[in-house]
């Protein structure tokens, strides 16, 4: 993917907290002052830690968790460290507002990153956290160590401003780049039952993402008959079957687009072959007996996953049958598309925060993939919205970066949005209220 140019909203010069003009009837409170230098420095410290989520790694997030625990201790924030897998901790802090009962708002992020790939292809040190041309460069700068720093210093700014009702949960969860083990563990824990809304601080380029595409990862095992390459009539070739299935998937994708329609932000369903392997490069004269085809399916709100998987299965079986190859389909992972209503108090608070800091309305959008928020919604029923520093298309690429000014900008928005959400006139009157949980179609 190509990175899209960063959007520069009005009044967003680094170090200048733009307040904007509140809409009629909205509070005109000043934006809480954010320790911008500290937020940028924390981002740099995190980027310099090579917390790559690699297969077989025994330590991934632990160095970042240690750093954040020291910081939370310095702030006086009570926090728990839960090891979800060896060397894979969740770090969850709870910041009590001191202003009486109220809602519980969660800010969520992760510190694991994908590999840098070929370091020689980078124009900067992938883990140098260099600041140049107004940008902070390095793996994880956008996805999403700047988001983690922004949410921490946004909460810190609000806390230092004075008491607020309710509490804020600061959750730094592990394994987002893998199977989202951290989000699954948190969703199953008692603290999740107390959360009324979650802001996922992933990079979305100033968009308030009220929807996120779902994901289905499929593995097709293609079983044929091994034979000599000189006598193809004696074999049944899984590679030929794979090629036919790949071609047929275009029709399955077309069917899905017609069946489930075009979402205003998430687009249409995509069915993308990603892996096709069979045979041995050292034995080019052998027709293999087995092959594997991998498929990445992305869905939109309203998609019936079971129906779509069955459509793909039948498409593959039919395409392979002509060459005598059988197909066994396995669902490796299944994450639903999720959506929150634009009128939900969580979204309205975030929009108001953006407007107050930037003086303009934010665009709405969709997360092209899935986030921890997908799991928190699916497994715990938590309302989630995604909004964080960095461009959404720069993630996982070489020369990843975040605009330095965005770190403090987002921290300010988080502080304002949190204050508005926690000050809500319909705030819960006691612990455990689920009044803000999705009902009547708030989430899909």
């Amino acid at each position: 993917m190509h990175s899209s140019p960063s959007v520069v909203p009005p009044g967003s010069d680094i170090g200048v907290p733009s307040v904007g003009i509140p809409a009629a009837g909205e509070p005109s409170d000043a934006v809480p002052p954010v320790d911008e230098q500290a937020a940028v420095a924390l981002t740099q410290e995190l980027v310099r830690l090579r917390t790559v989520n690699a297969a077989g790694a025994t330590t991934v997030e632990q160095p970042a968790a240690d750093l954040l625990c020291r910081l939370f201790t310095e702030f006086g924030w009570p926090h728990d460290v839960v090891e979800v897998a060896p060397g894979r901790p969740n770090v969850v802090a709870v910041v009590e507002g001191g202003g009486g009962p109220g809602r519980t708002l969660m800010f969520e992020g992760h510190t694991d990153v994908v590999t840098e790939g070929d370091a020689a292809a980078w124009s900067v040190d992938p883990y140098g956290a260099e600041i140049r041309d107004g940008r902070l460069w390095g793996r994880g700068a956008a996805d999403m160590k700047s988001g983690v720093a922004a949410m921490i210093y946004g909460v810190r700014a609000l806390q230092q401003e004075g008491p607020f009702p309710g509490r804020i949960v600061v959750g730094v969860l592990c394994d987002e780049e893998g199977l989202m083990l951290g989000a699954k563990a948190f969703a199953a824990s008692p603290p999740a039952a107390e959360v009324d809304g979650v802001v996922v601080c992933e990079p979305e380029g100033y968009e308030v993402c009220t929807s996120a595409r779902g994901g289905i990862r499929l593995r097709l095992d293609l079983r044929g008959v091994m034979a000599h390459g000189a006598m193809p009539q004696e074999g049944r070739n899984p590679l030929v079957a794979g090629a036919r299935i790949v071609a047929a998937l275009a029709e399955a994708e077309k069917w899905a687009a017609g069946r489930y329609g075009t979402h205003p932000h998430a687009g249409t369903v995509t069915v993308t072959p990603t892996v096709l392997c069979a045979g041995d490069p050292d034995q080019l004269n052998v027709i293999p007996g087995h092959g594997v085809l991998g498929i990445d399916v992305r869905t939109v709100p309203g998609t019936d996953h079971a129906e779509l998987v069955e459509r793909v299965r039948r498409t593959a079986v039919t395409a392979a049958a002509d060459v005598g190859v059988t197909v066994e389909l396995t669902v490796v992972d299944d994450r639903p598309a999720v959506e929150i209503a634009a009128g939900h108090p969580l979204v309205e608070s975030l929009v108001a925060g953006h407007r107050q800091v930037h003086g303009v309305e934010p665009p709405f959008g969709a997360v092209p993939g899935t986030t921890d928020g997908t799991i928190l919604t699916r497994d715990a029923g938590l309302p989630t919205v995604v909004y964080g520093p960095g461009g959404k298309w720069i993630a996982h690429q070489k020369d990843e970066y975040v605009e330095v000014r965005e770190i403090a900008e987002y921290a300010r928005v988080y502080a304002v949005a949190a204050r508005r959400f926690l000050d809500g006139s319909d705030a819960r009157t006691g612990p455990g209220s689920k009044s803000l949980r999705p009902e009547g179609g708030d989430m899909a």
Side-chain angles (χ1 to χ4, degrees):
M1 294 187 296
H2 297 284
S3 60
S4 56
S6 296
V7 178
V8 183
S12 60
D13 288 344
I14 184 169
V16 182
S18 163
V19 175
I21 302 173
E26 288 189 353
S28 58
D29 298 352
V31 176
V34 167
D35 189 339
E36 179 174 345
Q37 290 186 341
V40 172
L42 177 58
T43 305
Q44 288 182 291
E45 288 183 89
L46 289 170
V47 170
R48 288 171 183 147
L49 299 174
R50 190 178 182 275
T51 53
V52 172
N53 195 337
T58 56
T59 299
V60 179
E61 297 91 352
Q62 192 65 57
D66 293 342
L67 170 62
L68 295 178
C69 284
R70 291 193 296 270
L71 183 63
F72 293 167
T73 299
E74 177 186 325
F75 288 170
W77 292 359
H79 55 278
D80 291 323
V81 180
V82 177
E83 193 173 58
V84 175
R88 312 300 302 274
N90 280 351
V91 181
V92 180
V94 178
V95 183
E96 294 288 347
R103 293 172 174 160
T104 297
L105 174 63
M106 181 177 185
F107 288 99
E108 191 275 338
H110 65 89
T111 57
D112 61 318
V113 298
V114 299
T115 176
E116 70 276 13
D118 180 7
W122 288 62
S123 65
V124 295
D125 178 351
Y127 301 101
E130 175 185 352
I131 293 178
R132 175 168 47 86
D133 301 327
R135 294 171 172 173
L136 195 161
W137 301 81
R139 174 58 80 227
D143 186 17
M144 60 164 293
K145 291 176 175 179
S146 59
V148 169
M151 74 185 193
I152 289 171
Y153 277 95
V155 174
R156 181 63 169 166
L158 182 61
Q159 181 190 38
Q160 291 184 314
E161 186 187 43
F164 56 85
R167 65 207 54 77
I168 298 175
V169 175
V170 178
V172 186
L173 308 184
C174 68
D175 193 42
E176 194 275 346
E177 300 291 2
L179 294 177
M180 300 184 172
L181 298 177
K184 291 172 182 175
F186 180 82
S189 70
E194 300 299 317
V195 173
D196 293 304
V198 183
V199 177
V200 179
C201 305
E202 291 271 11
E204 298 300 340
Y206 293 108
E207 289 183 355
V208 174
C209 290
T210 53
S211 57
R213 300 176 81 199
I216 312 172
R217 296 176 188 174
L218 302 177
R219 172 183 170 129
L220 303 184
D221 282 279
L222 313 177
R223 303 195 184 280
V225 174
M226 185 176 178
H228 197 293
M231 295 173 283
Q233 71 278 6
E234 300 299 323
R236 296 198 293 273
N237 196 332
L239 282 168
V240 174
R244 293 191 179 194
I245 293 171
V246 168
L249 289 178
E251 287 302 313
E253 182 179 83
K254 183 178 179 181
W255 172 86
R259 173 69 170 166
Y260 305 116
T262 301
H263 187 274
H265 304 304
T268 61
V269 171
T270 56
V271 181
T272 307
T274 54
V275 175
L276 179 57
C277 57
D280 184 343
D282 293 329
Q283 292 188 322
L284 300 181
N285 61 335
V286 176
I287 295 172
H290 174 257
V292 173
L293 175 60
I295 306 172
D296 185 316
V297 181
R298 299 293 166 159
T299 64
V300 299
T303 303
D304 183 330
H305 280 206
E307 179 185 49
L308 180 54
V309 168
E310 177 57 20
R311 182 76 180 204
V312 171
R313 189 194 69 80
R314 285 192 282 113
T315 297
V317 167
T318 300
D322 287 345
V323 292
V325 172
T326 61
V327 176
E328 179 183 348
L329 182 148
T330 302
V331 178
V332 177
D333 199 15
D334 188 342
R335 303 170 183 175
V338 297
E339 188 166 37
I340 185 171
H344 191 283
L346 178 65
V347 178
E348 290 184 333
S349 297
L350 196 55
V351 168
H354 182 102
R355 181 169 56 239
Q356 186 167 337
V357 170
H358 294 301
V360 295
E361 295 290 323
F364 286 91
V367 181
T370 58
T371 71
D372 282 338
T374 301
I375 304 302
L376 297 177
T377 296
R378 183 192 71 184
D379 293 358
L382 301 182
T384 57
V385 62
V386 185
Y387 173 89
K392 67 171 65 183
W393 308 119
I394 195 63
H396 299 192
Q397 294 191 48
K398 66 177 182 179
D399 288 348
E400 182 181 348
Y401 67 87
V402 65
E403 301 286 350
V404 173
R405 68 168 187 280
E406 290 186 24
I407 301 170
E409 287 175 356
Y410 277 86
R412 295 180 187 114
V413 174
Y414 294 152
V416 174
R419 181 173 58 203
R420 290 172 179 271
F421 183 74
L422 297 170
D423 284 344
S425 59
D426 59 339
R428 70 187 190 183
T429 57
S433 168
K434 302 300 185 291
S435 60
L436 298 183
R437 296 300 177 92
E439 293 180 5
D442 276 355
M443 289 283 186

